[in-house]
Amino acid sequence: LDYQHVQVPFEITLWIMLASLAKIGFHLYNKLPSVVPESCLLIFVGLIMGGIIYGLNDKSPPVMDSDIFFLYLLPPIVLDAGYFMPSRPFFENIGTILLYAVVGTIWNVFGIGFSLYGICQVKSFHLQDVSLLHNLLFGSLIAAVDPVAVLAVFEEIHVNEKLHILVFGESLLNDAVTVVLYKLFRSFCEMPAIKTVDVFAGIGKFFVVGIGGVLVGLTFGMIAAFTTRFTKNIRVIEPLFVFLYSYLSYLAAEMFHLSGIVAIIACAMGMKRYVEANISLKSHTTVKYFMKMWSSVSDTLIFIFLGVSTIGENHEWNWPYICFTVIFCLIWRALGVLVLTFFVNRFHVNTVTSKDQFIIAYGGLRGAICFSLVFLLPDFDRKKLFIAATTVVILFTVFVQGMTIRPLVDLLDVTKKRESAPTVGEQIHIRFLDHLLAGIEDISGHWGQYYWKDKLEYFNSKYLQKILLREYDQPKSSIVLLYEKLERKHAIELAEAGQLGHAPSHPSLLNSHRTVVTDRKSEDILNPDVLENIQEILARNLYRIRRTVPAYSRHTLPGETEPAEQAEEILILRHRSL
Amino acid sequence: LDYQHVQVPFEITLWIMLASLAKIGFHLYNKLPSVVPESCLLIFVGLIMGGIIYGLNDKSPPVMDSDIFFLYLLPPIVLDAGYFMPSRPFFENIGTILLYAVVGTIWNVFGIGFSLYGICQVKSFHLQDVSLLHNLLFGSLIAAVDPVAVLAVFEEIHVNEKLHILVFGESLLNDAVTVVLYKLFRSFCEMPAIKTVDVFAGIGKFFVVGIGGVLVGLTFGMIAAFTTRFTKNIRVIEPLFVFLYSYLSYLAAEMFHLSGIVAIIACAMGMKRYVEANISLKSHTTVKYFMKMWSSVSDTLIFIFLGVSTIGENHEWNWPYICFTVIFCLIWRALGVLVLTFFVNRFHVNTVTSKDQFIIAYGGLRGAICFSLVFLLPDFDRKKLFIAATTVVILFTVFVQGMTIRPLVDLLDVTKKRESAPTVGEQIHIRFLDHLLAGIEDISGHWGQYYWKDKLEYFNSKYLQKILLREYDQPKSSIVLLYEKLERKHAIELAEAGQLGHAPSHPSLLNSHRTVVTDRKSEDILNPDVLENIQEILARNLYRIRRTVPAYSRHTLPGETEPAEQAEEILILRHRSL
């Protein structure tokens, strides 16, 4: 027996296997996941596993390594989140999201840090040795809402799209703030004296870390899109580039102390559009499938490891500190959301309702990022206290808040996500309004979101598409192609059905060809770009009207119908209407 | 800059990226891969990279780590080979393959070992310190034909299926022999005296290593198939199990010193049939795509690393020894093939022609397995000589033999692979002959391959399918389902075309339903099992007759046509024949 030799890959494979089997187990009984969130069940499995390991070895089970978490487990989840991010609601609410992510997180960090420092001054709690800086450091790691936990819970409760993107977007973008504050306070802890310069340098870092992350991500995204231009002869390695470049963007950002999460999201959102157009349909299925699979497994592993790591002797149970941490986390988040939303609502017509505010505040779940950060702390006296407090906060938010949020959403009657896709009319109107508003903004000299969107679209079609897309010249008016195909098919069918004779030169066939030609002519009269867009919308909606698929789910791909099936359906609809 | 932190994943990602980009580069110009095999080009890239590293650092570039090769690079290639292995020609020629793999390899090992020992006795060569055991050890690692190199070259020359499976099957199955002989001689080298018992124990090990590998592989394959029974509610992680279980089988076999290659092939071939039936179509596309992608990247990395590792100061250039190694490798392989084929041809009607024999002998390429094994040797005086000889043999076989084999195949006019799939008539006749021969073997009491195949098929449908398949009860007579669907579609089309009235209760519709019913009745009269098989063959062939897709290629998936397209095609054919 030579276990040493194969130990590393063998144990990794076994852990992944355990995670996958646990997932299968939960989904065997359909009732269980509808009551208890999967994340809770997985933590529970982890607790049991940890207990077994602890019982057998009589020493603390291995703790989730922070490097493994940040380098291998987190990227797939963030990549999946970025790749399947609904871009319209995200960019529409980008201001609000940034406000929550930046100002809200800073508010929470200082709020929690200072009030915990207040608690430490109470003599009977025996906490007087915890300095203000240590409290702020703890605040910086415990304040950040965790994207993994938020995704796991929110994808199951189906709240409306805006509410979802507000919480989820915040949890992703606050990474830049967390990275900066955490590293700042940690370096302050090790410095003998803090100068004012250091504080200002810290503030400057926010922008470097955040904007740098975006730039790194976009650069890699563009290179990825450019690379997939040349993969026509070797389709099987196409999916690889999507993963390689986004992972490289994450690693490069981490290497330069920028925000890796922000980088990978920028990379995924940037390349998606071009990569999808360049790679084959099968490659794209593989990309989507593997992304879902990978993030699903990572997510499972993280929660199991969270459970395993909870067991053991790493904790110092100072209950006042721990209880007040939980309370302050709740209070400061609630206050922060209230205050910030007050300002947001003053500048927006489409306000955030008080029910939504409650869910935003209540949905501030903490997770594995806090946990990994607390283990990365340099060793000092009270590290075990911080670990204990972090563990309790995570378990409290995931179990108590995670399990009660669904009944609360039902009870408060929070606006749910509409299950049907927008109709053609709506989409066309939205598009026309976008153009209209862009025009108004241009005339009034106001550089708002519509103006920038329009400029970006122009830049994209004028330069980017030419560089990044392989088949740019070919007109992509899919509805015309579809129509031609249908007409041809229909003509063949009619001819062969014996109704109109057997020769292919029959008038009906010629007729159908003429229809296509007229169709093409009408296209030439209108501006082809606009027409193409409308045609795309039509092509998508003609069939989609009757589909009701939720927009995002971790475990399933957005339902795709075979194009042929779609074509058949359209054919039948058309026949009926005639 | 914090490079230390991300170094490991960053460098791995960069190497994979380099490999993928090199692959894209070669395929940009279509002429290049048709003249020079890709493996040669990749080694060349590796040589240049190695030269650059050597030039910059002034020390030998890093050598491919044997652990990385055996644990991470080899399994994907072998898994791909096993999963896409054409099982019929493999099992039809299993006797010949085993003879080549076991007896042939032993013949080569001892032939090369003893004759090199003879060379060592020539005083002017200064090799008298190389003992017989060391020569045999060297023979054991240089004798084995390499599956990676064979695949890379043979997939491009399209020889007939039997010839391909003989060389390829041998290269896969000789792993068991190589493992045993290599470990045996290595332990003999370290023993003070060799007893007769040890030699017999070595012979016994052959069977343990080979059969043990098969058993481990089949066990994991069956568990994998069983697991996929329960993944209906969570489709996205289905592909994972295929990879996890086959990798586990490889690691488990390696752990117990069995043949990992044999295990992973047994696992892949065993599970394929059941897994395919259990998982969704998209999961299956992902599995196939990722397998191709992974093996393609591994293969590229191996050849690049081979090139990089060649550069440096690890070599001792004793030219007589090196030249004689190359010569002996060629001579002993040629002799072995001649002698073994003589015996094979005496017992087979379908003989191996002399042209085929030449290609089998000439196609005995060496590759990365030899290279990794020679680096795994314990340190002794002449290790660098062995490394140099191995490098030269690999480069000679890959460059000289690999580049000339295609012109030779054309020159000798070796029977090529038939590009079209067998016709329906052929397939039905083959099937009937199988049954007939199984019957004859049963009556005559001869337990030949047909007898065993029949028994296995019986065992499979009686027990295995019931345990391993999710939807076993449902009759899978695909042609009936397809026919029903087509009839329904046709009826709708006819009705809506206006030819036969608009009501769905029209006679033609009823008629079509009646046809289906009659079809079902005729099914009940015949033995449903046999009928189902014929129907499957028919369903596949009705359309496939006109397709010409090569059966195996590393870079492309077997061409799949959309079922709807197929249905349409069948519809048109049917209409024409009416």
Side-chain angles (χ1 to χ4, degrees), chain A residues 353-514:
Chain A
T353 66
S354 52
K355 282 175 190 174
D356 285 359
Q357 290 175 40
F358 176 76
I359 296 298
I360 293 172
Y362 202 73
L365 308 181
R366 269 67 165 183
I369 292 186
C370 310
F371 195 81
S372 301
L373 287 178
V374 82
F375 273 98
L376 278 180
L377 284 180
D379 277 325
F380 67 102
D381 285 350
R382 294 295 192 148
K383 187 174 171 182
K384 285 192 173 181
L385 172 63
F386 285 0
I387 292 176
T390 309
T391 309
V392 170
V393 170
I394 293 170
L395 292 185
F396 180 84
T397 54
V398 172
F399 274 88
V400 179
Q401 292 177 224
M403 281 170 76
T404 52
I405 198 163
R406 192 205 297 252
L408 277 173
V409 164
D410 291 339
L411 196 73
L412 289 173
D413 197 21
V414 174
T415 322
K416 292 277 184 84
K417 190 194 290 173
R418 50 186 286 184
E419 292 292 315
S420 57
T423 62
V424 195
E426 280 175 316
Q427 286 218 17
I428 292 178
H429 275 95
I430 288 169
R431 209 184 149 72
F432 282 161
L433 274 176
D434 280 1
H435 279 297
L436 193 70
L437 287 167
I440 293 173
E441 284 188 349
D442 205 9
I443 291 167
S444 68
H446 171 70
W447 291 356
Q449 59 166 325
Y450 296 103
Y451 174 83
W452 285 114
K453 198 176 166 186
D454 211 56
K455 286 280 166 228
L456 206 68
E457 209 48 62
Y458 177 78
F459 178 71
N460 172 46
S461 63
K462 184 100 180 172
Y463 304 106
L464 283 181
Q465 286 195 343
K466 283 180 191 161
I467 303 168
L468 302 177
L469 292 188
R470 188 190 304 134
E471 284 153 1
Y472 177 65
D473 334 285
Q474 181 194 314
K476 279 200 303 306
S477 51
S478 56
I479 190 117
V480 176
L481 294 174
L482 182 68
Y483 186 73
E484 279 182 333
K485 196 177 140 198
L486 284 177
E487 281 296 322
R488 220 176 299 122
K489 195 181 161 192
H490 187 210
I492 291 170
E493 282 163 9
L494 283 182
E496 290 190 334
Q499 183 200 16
L500 306 158
H502 294 274
S505 60
H506 193 276
S508 96
L509 202 68
L510 290 173
N511 204 31
S512 71
H513 276 298
R514 206 162 52 229

Side-chain angles (χ1 to χ4, degrees), chain A residues 162-174:
Chain A
K162 188 181 173 187
L163 180 52
H164 183 262
I165 205 73
L166 285 182
V167 184
F168 181 47
E170 179 205 338
S171 71
L172 286 172
L173 298 189
N174 67 19

